[in-house]
């Protein structure tokens, strides 16, 4: 697998490069968080990092070995590449969840013979709305809208999740829908 152009690598290119190397060694990570927004917004948003969920904590030493083999060094909880100054990688705790929903089934994308996993556009929108709903992070509502305007998603599933997630879920969903239709 050819290395990316480290000075200009996008979140998607870095995810594919790292994800392929992990999958090649039997480690199935799932891309979550802002990097998913960057991919689904077709670069309109830039995250600055990639959050990968590895469901088995026992794999952390294997992950470190693989990451080091492709040029990354562990600095605190992040993996950084000396040639890539604008993106770093963090492995976050399992399971993959969105708010109180732990039944997340990520999308699977084939890349050079390996399966890479990523939140679906619908789950990415729910993930961003979770941050808005629970932490009043307005920028996350904006990110959800970027994804919604650039990808096909299931509006009914977003609504059901919002209504089940919180007592103010209806207000958040209504605001999302109103802004989406503008």
């Amino acid at each position: 697998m050819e290395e990316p152009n480290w000075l200009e690598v996008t979140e998607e290119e870095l995810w594919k490069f790292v994800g392929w190397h992990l999958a090649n060694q039997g480690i199935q990570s799932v891309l979550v968080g802002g990097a998913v927004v960057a991919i689904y917004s077709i670069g309109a948003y830039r995250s600055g990092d990639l959050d990968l969920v590895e469901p088995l904590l026992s794999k952390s030493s294997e992950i470190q070995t693989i990451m080091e083999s492709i040029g990354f060094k562990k600095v605190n909880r992040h993996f950084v590449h000396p040639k890539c100054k604008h993106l770093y990688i963090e492995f976050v705790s399992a399971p993959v969840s969105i708010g109180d929903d732990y039944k997340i089934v990520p999308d699977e994308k084939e890349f050079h013979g390996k399966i890479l996993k990523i939140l679906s556009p619908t789950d990415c929108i729910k993930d961003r709305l979770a941050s808005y709903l629970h932490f009043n992070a307005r920028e996350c509502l904006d990110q959800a809208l970027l994804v919604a305007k650039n990808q096909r998603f299931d509006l009914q599933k977003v609504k059901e999740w919002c209504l089940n997630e919180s007592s103010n879920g209806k207000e958040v969903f209504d605001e999302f829908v109103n802004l989406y239709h503008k």
Side-chain angles (χ1 to χ4, degrees):
M1 159 104 3
E2 188 175 315
E3 284 193 23
N5 175 344
W6 292 110
L7 297 176
E8 299 175 1
V9 66
T10 65
E11 290 88 346
E12 183 170 12
E13 292 165 339
L14 186 57
W15 167 58
K16 287 178 175 178
F17 179 74
V18 170
W20 185 91
H21 282 280
L22 292 169
N24 195 45
Q25 297 299 314
I27 297 190
Q28 275 299 318
S29 59
V30 180
L31 184 66
V32 300
V36 180
V37 176
I39 292 169
Y40 289 149
S41 71
I42 312 163
Y45 172 79
R46 298 300 303 261
S47 72
D49 74 328
L50 279 74
D51 295 319
L52 293 167
V53 176
E54 164 49 49
L56 301 174
L57 293 175
S58 62
K59 299 280 187 183
S60 62
S61 64
E62 289 176 57
I63 289 170
Q64 185 161 343
T65 300
I66 295 165
M67 295 299 286
E68 289 173 353
S69 77
I70 57 176
F72 285 83
K73 304 270 184 269
K74 189 160 188 180
V75 178
N76 298 318
R77 66 178 200 261
H78 303 126
F79 284 92
V80 296
H81 195 285
K83 296 179 184 175
C84 183
K85 304 294 183 196
H86 62 287
L87 292 172
Y88 62 88
I89 296 179
E90 182 175 355
F91 287 87
V92 296
S93 299
V96 176
S97 64
I98 301 170
D100 290 334
D101 184 0
Y102 292 91
K103 297 177 183 170
I104 307 303
V105 178
D107 278 358
E108 295 184 350
K109 310 286 183 186
E110 190 274 330
F111 180 68
H112 291 286
K114 302 296 174 195
I115 298 297
L116 306 183
K117 296 183 179 189
I118 184 172
L119 288 181
S120 69
T122 300
D123 285 338
C124 178
I125 291 167
K126 293 187 305 188
D127 176 62
R128 300 291 88 187
L129 290 178
S131 292
Y132 182 53
L133 191 79
H134 296 296
F135 307 112
N136 204 28
R138 174 64 192 212
E139 68 276 9
C140 291
L141 173 60
D142 296 337
Q143 293 166 22
L145 289 163
L146 278 174
V147 173
K149 291 183 185 266
N150 284 286
Q151 301 294 320
R152 300 188 107 168
F153 70 99
D154 189 328
L155 185 63
Q156 185 60 37
K157 285 185 179 179
V158 172
K159 179 179 182 179
E160 290 168 6
W161 177 86
C162 285
L163 296 178
N164 288 326
E165 184 66 19
S166 174
S167 60
N168 64 334
K170 181 179 180 343
E171 292 81 25
V172 166
F173 178 76
D174 289 345
E175 184 177 3
F176 169 75
V177 168
N178 287 336
L179 291 169
Y180 173 68
H181 289 302
K182 276 190 175 179

